[in-house]
Amino acid sequence: MFKKISMCVLAVCLILSFSAMASDHAKKKPVKKGILLVSFGTSVPEAQAAFANIEKKVKAEFPDVPLRWAYTSHVIRHKLAKEGKQLDSVEIALAKMMDEGFTHVAVQSFHIIGGEEFHGMYQNAKAFAGMSEGIEKIIVGYPLLGTEDDMKKATDAVIANIPKERKKDEAVVLMGHGTPHPANAFYAAMLYHLQQKDPNIFLGTVEGSPTIDDIKTMLTKKGIKKAYLIPFMSVAGDHARNDMTGDDKDSWKSILGKEGISCVPVLKGLAEYDNIVAIWIEHLKQVYAHFK
Ligand code: CO
């Protein structure tokens, strides 16, 4: 008899604990929305200041939303790790956010076009959505140039940022990164938009087309004698400092200099201009609106 009772108690206990477990599992996680900002990363102090400025702007726009950063360049992450600064990749940042119970994450990167790097990041970020007990929804915002409208806005912003002392018969040559990815076509499209507004603005790329030789031909045909060299990259890093304006014979400054075109470099990345940052933040707002 005693044995029977104790078996019953045990059975009841088991059922109770099972149902407790079941309801624990079935309980939906409370909604927790967050933002993940993604940059290539930089060790250039000016660019770090630009990212701090972006953070301030995002916080002003989303005062109650937790904000995290991720850096896609492992070279830069390792370099900064040696200085004792621990920076997360997109994957680590999202894993941490998953652990912290985030259910909705808006990801906004500071890429210029949707090229290889952007799509790699997109693919990995999306892989974190829909994991068992993980983040329910992850939406990735467009890069700077995602639509025709973005190109028009970026064109106006770039023109507004040209140094005031530049005269109309002097050229502005923007340096984009360029890529073998099909999204490279955005650079030629952007060149078209720029030229619609000001035929002496040009845009070439380091690793795609239009090349600097294409641009050189256009400039010499027009008899241009002076050009402002401006990076069309989020950060004025290595490419701007070496490939654009270095003393090496392959730099854009040297290539154009050989044609008798004197060059004035402007070492400022796109992320340092508020009117460009506004386009990225607009994309983040569009993405975040899907969570409401
Ligand atoms: Co590069």
Side-chain angles (χ1 to χ4, degrees):
M1 176 68 181
F2 179 72
K3 212 173 182 184
K4 247 188 191 163
I5 290 172
S6 68
M7 283 291 279
C8 271
V9 169
L10 184 67
V12 168
C13 282
L14 275 175
I15 289 166
L16 278 177
S17 62
F18 255 137
S19 59
M21 265 165 66
S23 70
D24 246 14
H25 280 191
K27 212 188 283 165
K28 223 169 147 16
K29 277 204 287 184
V31 171
K32 187 174 177 182
K33 300 173 191 172
I35 290 171
L36 178 64
L37 300 178
V38 181
S39 95
F40 178 73
T42 178
S43 45
V44 181
E46 293 93 321
Q48 277 166 1
F51 289 126
N53 177 46
I54 289 176
E55 180 167 322
K56 215 173 78 192
K57 290 199 153 48
V58 173
K59 276 185 175 155
E61 213 46 77
F62 301 92
D64 306 317
V65 185
L67 188 70
R68 304 283 186 274
W69 277 94
Y71 301 86
T72 56
S73 162
H74 62 92
V75 176
I76 286 171
R77 285 201 312 272
H78 290 176
K79 193 172 162 189
L80 292 174
K82 279 184 197 152
E83 297 166 18
K85 289 176 205 139
Q86 208 54 55
L87 303 178
D88 292 336
S89 63
V90 171
E91 296 76 22
I92 295 290
L94 284 172
K96 284 182 179 172
M97 291 180 93
M98 189 158 85
D99 251 12
E100 288 179 65
F102 281 91
T103 55
H104 296 71
V105 178
V107 179
Q108 182 61 54
S109 74
F110 300 102
H111 288 109
I112 306 299
I113 57 161
E116 235 164 296
E117 260 185 44
F118 175 85
H119 282 284
M121 179 223 45
Y122 180 92
Q123 196 181 339
N124 289 1
K126 283 290 195 185
F128 278 85
M131 282 185 194
S132 170
E133 298 196 47
I135 301 166
E136 274 168 47
K137 207 165 188 178
I138 295 178
I139 310 185
V140 180
Y142 274 141
L144 182 71
L145 308 180
T147 63
E148 199 69 11
D149 191 46
D150 290 339
M151 285 193 280
K152 287 179 183 157
K153 283 184 186 150
T155 296
D156 291 340
V158 163
I159 290 174
N161 298 338
I162 294 170
K164 296 288 166 272
E165 59 273 23
R166 175 244 172 182
K167 298 183 188 82
K168 281 282 171 199
D169 62 338
E170 296 166 348
V172 170
V173 176
L174 299 164
M175 176 192 254
H177 193 280
T179 170
H181 189 278
N184 188 76
F186 269 93
Y187 292 109
M190 188 65 197
L191 171 62
Y192 165 79
H193 282 287
L194 290 160
Q195 297 229 321
Q196 289 292 98
K197 293 259 167 122
D198 181 336
N200 281 341
I201 304 183
F202 303 84
L203 193 158
T205 68
V206 192
E207 291 173 23
S209 79
T211 63
I212 183 59
D213 284 334
D214 297 331
I215 302 300
K216 185 181 80 181
T217 308
M218 295 180 201
L219 294 178
T220 48
K221 245 188 211 160
K222 286 190 140 189
I224 300 274
K225 290 283 166 257
K226 186 173 172 183
Y228 286 79
L229 303 181
I230 304 178
F232 191 70
M233 301 183 195
S234 60
V235 162
D238 204 48
H239 287 303
R241 278 153 219 272
N242 298 313
D243 302 321
M244 190 179 86
T245 187
D247 292 325
D248 208 81
K249 69 172 179 18
D250 297 331
S251 79
W252 288 21
K253 188 181 81 180
S254 303
I255 292 170
L256 297 180
K258 248 172 82 183
E259 303 298 319
I261 301 167
S262 72
C263 292
V264 185
V266 180
L267 283 176
K268 216 169 157 187
L270 291 176
E272 292 179 65
Y273 296 101
D274 285 352
N275 56 4
I276 297 280
V277 170
I279 301 174
W280 277 307
I281 292 184
E282 194 49 46
H283 291 171
L284 173 60
K285 280 161 79 178
Q286 284 163 7
V287 160
Y288 199 82
H290 285 279
F291 295 160
K292 277 165 192 162

